Amino acid sequence: MNSFQLANESSPLSLTPNFILPEHKRPNLSQVTSLDSIPIIDLSYYDHNNNNPSSLEVVHKISKACEEFGFFQIVNHGVPEQVCNKMMKAITSLFELPPDEREHLSSTDYTKNVRLISYYLKVEGGEKVKMWSECFSHSWYPIDDIIHLLPEKIGTQYREAFTEYAKEIGSLVKRLLSLISIGLGLEEDFLFKKVGEQPRQRAQANFYPPCPDPELTMGLQEHTDLNALTVLLQSQVSGLQVNKDGKWISVPCIPNAFVINLADQIEVLSNGRYKSVLHRAVTNNVHARVSMAMFYGPNPNTTIGPIQELIDEEHPLKYRNYHFSEFLEEFFKQEGKRRLVKEAFELPR
């Protein structure tokens, strides 16, 4: 793909002023470290039916990663490689469509179930700086609500790929929530039950075209995820960065691995013990980057708040209870800003 055109633009992407960030918002790529990156955890050592040392070690590693990083990568996770490859090919095909075949999907209406998004950052003076990316957002189910909006030539491909992929990720999320629950000293099905029936399941396919000067732009601005757990599949082009102790760390691309990040609802439920941390996507000047984020969270009617068993004198109550619909309302209210959503539900110290 030589030049890319955003669906809501009339000409191919170029580094015009409306993509250039103010100096203090730029990524400062020379200061990013790739040393001491997020933990890599091999799930093949975990045996659900056997509390052997290897299984306990996996739980311990996940718990430590959740406390220290809020992020980890998993390998030998059981999701077939061909299922992941099919999904990535379908996403690539979508973004390779001519802009006039994607344009009808483009929308700024966040209530739309299926839409192409071009994110932006509001800077001083209310000006909007566009992100160097295009994202395709939709629910996991029902698949027909998504497919009928896609051009026929890729609709079948996307249906087959996503149906299979969502089923695998659904099973993986259940396993991960179980391991995270055990790490918190809870019953293994605690978090799965707590997130509730009919969870809010969203998918976001991300496309980051090559950028002439990656130091001036951002693929996605720094943010935390609003849901409970995110499973990210990324192409073999780096771009994801995680903030640890105020410094940005580059996340390496590992073949057939998933990046797992804890989102805001897990931080609240764990009463702040497990972290939902800032992360961002940067650009590069050589290769396009593709990723698929699968978001798993509570439905809007679910009540969220710190789990009673995780509150004591050493760990006083940090957040108030709320319906997840309140959280969503606050999230969309802060559109375009460096969002501070869970902070709005913190109790005064």
Side-chain angles (χ1 to χ4, degrees):
M1 190 181 292
N2 296 325
S3 63
F4 182 76
Q5 186 172 321
L6 296 172
N8 61 354
E9 295 277 328
S10 56
S11 56
L13 198 55
S14 63
L15 196 49
T16 49
N18 58 342
F19 285 99
I20 297 174
L21 291 160
E23 275 192 47
H24 66 288
K25 296 285 187 185
R26 291 176 190 172
N28 292 318
L29 298 175
S30 61
Q31 294 175 22
V32 175
T33 178
S34 54
L35 301 171
D36 191 31
S37 195
I38 65 173
I40 299 159
I41 298 168
D42 187 339
L43 288 194
S44 66
Y45 288 107
Y46 183 74
D47 181 353
H48 175 76
N49 299 310
N50 189 347
N51 277 340
N52 58 33
S54 296
S55 293
L56 295 172
E57 181 67 11
V58 170
V59 171
H60 172 71
K61 281 181 178 176
I62 288 177
S63 182
K64 194 164 185 283
C66 292
E67 287 181 354
E68 293 182 7
F69 287 88
F71 266 82
F72 53 95
Q73 295 208 59
I74 53 170
V75 294
N76 295 322
H77 41 66
V79 179
E81 192 171 358
Q82 65 269 27
V83 172
C84 298
N85 291 343
K86 260 173 86 173
M87 189 70 255
M88 292 303 256
K89 278 179 186 161
I91 294 168
T92 304
S93 298
L94 171 73
F95 289 108
E96 283 177 345
L97 287 171
D100 60 342
E101 292 185 34
R102 304 193 317 275
E103 187 182 6
H104 69 287
L105 296 166
S106 184
S107 175
T108 56
D109 179 0
Y110 66 79
T111 63
K112 277 196 170 181
N113 179 32
V114 182
R115 65 182 182 126
L116 267 181
I117 309 167
S118 294
Y119 287 107
Y120 62 87
L121 176 64
K122 277 184 191 164
V123 294
E124 291 73 11
E127 191 186 337
K128 291 179 181 179
V129 177
K130 293 182 177 182
M131 298 292 102
W132 195 269
S133 60
E134 189 167 82
C135 307
F136 181 50
S137 170
H138 59 81
S139 59
W140 292 18
Y141 306 109
I143 191 72
D144 287 337
D145 287 2
I146 305 149
I147 300 307
H148 84 275
L149 293 170
L150 296 180
E152 195 178 336
K153 61 184 171 190
I154 75 144
T156 305
Q157 180 191 10
Y158 201 91
R159 176 202 295 277
E160 283 180 12
F162 189 80
T163 303
E164 214 175 341
Y165 187 71
K167 187 180 171 191
E168 292 285 353
I169 298 302
S171 301
L172 178 62
V173 164
K174 193 171 182 180
R175 285 169 63 206
L176 288 166
L177 287 174
S178 167
L179 290 164
I180 292 166
S181 294
I182 296 166
L184 285 168
L186 305 165
E187 292 293 320
E188 64 178 303
D189 60 353
F190 192 100
L191 286 174
F192 186 73
K193 282 182 175 173
K194 186 65 191 166
V195 171
E197 291 177 14
Q198 298 179 312
R200 183 178 186 270
Q201 297 167 305
R202 301 286 305 168
Q204 184 169 295
N206 307 301
F207 184 78
Y208 307 95
C211 175
D213 192 344
E215 283 284 8
L216 300 180
T217 59
M218 199 75 80
L220 279 181
Q221 65 154 318
E222 59 184 67
H223 64 283
T224 61
D225 289 357
L226 69 92
N227 48 298
L229 196 68
T230 303
V231 178
L232 182 81
L233 176 65
Q234 53 178 351
S235 59
Q236 294 303 298
V237 178
S238 65
L240 175 64
Q241 298 180 349
V242 172
N243 196 285
K244 172 88 162 66
D245 302 326
K247 292 179 181 170
W248 289 102
I249 296 170
S250 180
V251 175
C253 300
I254 298 169
N256 201 28
F258 288 113
V259 178
I260 309 301
N261 80 276
L262 298 193
D264 292 347
Q265 306 318 305
I266 295 276
E267 173 157 343
V268 172
L269 287 164
S270 72
N271 198 32
R273 179 172 156 188
Y274 284 178
K275 302 290 182 279
S276 171
V277 303
L278 287 172
H279 52 287
R280 66 185 188 182
V282 298
T283 61
N284 76 85
N285 60 6
V286 181
H287 300 290
R289 177 171 175 263
V290 179
S291 69
M292 175 57 122
M294 297 288 274
F295 304 119
Y296 189 94
N299 74 51
N301 299 320
T302 304
T303 301
I304 298 292
I307 295 162
Q308 202 60 41
E309 291 88 332
L310 303 178
I311 303 163
D312 56 32
E313 278 186 25
E314 277 185 50
H315 307 93
L317 189 64
K318 192 174 176 184
Y319 298 95
R320 71 169 176 86
N321 286 6
Y322 53 84
H323 282 110
F324 187 55
S325 56
E326 284 181 77
F327 198 94
L328 289 172
E329 198 179 312
E330 183 64 34
F331 176 85
F332 290 117
K333 207 195 291 180
Q334 297 184 27
E335 182 80 36
K337 300 174 189 171
R338 213 309 261 137
R339 287 182 167 111
L340 297 166
V341 185
K342 63 181 179 295
E343 291 79 1
F345 297 89
E346 280 187 2
L347 293 168
R349 288 297 170 99

